[in-house]
Amino acid sequence: MFDTALTAADFAFLARGAGMTIVVTLISVIAGTILGIVFGVFRYQVGPIWAAPLTFVLDVFRSIPLLIQLVLANAFLGTILRLNMSGFTVACIILSLYTAAFCAEIVRGGIEAVPMTTRRAARSLGMTWGQDMRSIVLPLATRVALPSWIGLALGVMKDSALVYIVQVTELLKSTQILITRLQEPLLLLMICGAFYFVISFPLARFGGYLEKRWSND
């Protein structure tokens, strides 16, 4: 007979951790995507020379492991600048910038995939730069960039497990706390994995639906 010390209160504790994972992921992906679009368009528009300082900063966020970024940011903001920021705020800021660094490259690549002849045709019809970007370039670039963006969003969701280092109790940290108390690692890790699956599966399926729909247009 299967026996466990896991209670309804423990399960609710895991659910709250999953909720924190969702909140951190949503904030980071939304803010990071907005910044990534701005940075990606800027890099494409001004060229590699003028965008070199921004490119360097983005390369830093892409190259340094996220765990180190979280530790350094928490120490810098709290110890050096003496800003009284919560771990949740620090986590969202760093994860947003981390997301933006990768998203900017995805956006730039998507824009470059739009044929120049299409852009010239749009401008020859009297479209302004803004109209060309809004009506022609970004819709076409979105189709190219969507699979990579979905992968990025799912990666950020899983990377959010590292925010425990700044005292944010997300899903994995909640699981570790219960493992220490209940000594049932296999069961708790299975439940943790199920939570991650439930969180990520709808996003992956929605991305697949959009790809299939656009491919049939």
Side-chain angles (χ1 to χ4, degrees):
M1 182 178 178
F2 180 75
D3 188 25
T4 177
L6 186 69
T7 65
D10 295 330
F11 193 83
F13 180 66
L14 287 175
R16 287 194 296 273
M20 179 60 70
T21 293
I22 293 173
V23 171
V24 171
T25 301
L26 281 176
I27 292 174
S28 303
V29 169
I30 292 173
T33 299
I34 293 172
L35 287 173
I37 292 172
V38 174
F39 295 157
V41 171
F42 177 80
R43 286 189 61 196
Y44 174 81
Q45 202 63 33
V46 304
I49 296 178
W50 291 105
L54 175 61
T55 301
F56 174 76
V57 173
L58 296 179
D59 284 343
V60 169
F61 278 97
R62 281 200 301 268
S63 303
I64 299 177
L66 181 59
L67 182 63
I68 296 176
Q69 294 184 38
L70 288 166
V71 172
L72 291 178
N74 193 48
F76 181 77
L77 294 172
T79 305
I80 299 178
L81 297 184
R82 299 193 180 279
L83 297 176
N84 189 24
M85 286 187 178
S86 65
F88 175 79
T89 302
V90 174
C92 288
I93 290 174
I94 295 303
L95 265 177
S96 295
L97 293 173
Y98 180 78
T99 304
F102 285 95
C103 187
E105 198 64 25
I106 293 172
V107 170
R108 185 184 63 82
I111 294 175
E112 289 182 346
V114 178
M116 188 56 66
T117 53
T118 303
R119 301 199 64 184
R120 292 197 186 101
R123 301 305 288 272
S124 68
L125 292 174
M127 285 187 173
T128 64
W129 179 86
Q131 291 172 328
D132 174 34
M133 292 296 295
R134 184 175 61 253
S135 303
I136 305 296
V137 176
L138 290 182
L140 293 175
T142 299
R143 298 189 179 202
V144 176
L146 180 65
S148 297
W149 181 86
I150 293 292
L152 173 62
L154 291 174
V156 171
M157 185 272 293
K158 288 179 282 189
D159 287 341
S160 67
L162 297 174
V163 301
Y164 77 89
I165 202 70
V166 290
Q167 308 304 315
V168 177
T169 306
E170 41 65 61
L171 178 56
L172 188 58
K173 180 63 176 178
S174 301
T175 304
Q176 291 171 339
I177 291 172
L178 290 182
I179 288 174
T180 302
R181 183 164 62 83
L182 301 178
Q183 296 299 306
E184 297 183 21
L186 183 60
L187 173 62
L188 289 167
L189 287 174
M190 288 175 62
I191 295 174
C192 178
F195 269 115
Y196 274 115
F197 175 78
V198 170
I199 294 170
S200 61
F201 183 75
L203 177 60
R205 289 300 90 206
F206 180 67
Y209 164 75
L210 288 180
E211 284 186 74
K212 183 180 296 185
R213 182 177 177 180
W214 287 344
S215 65
N216 294 329
D217 288 347

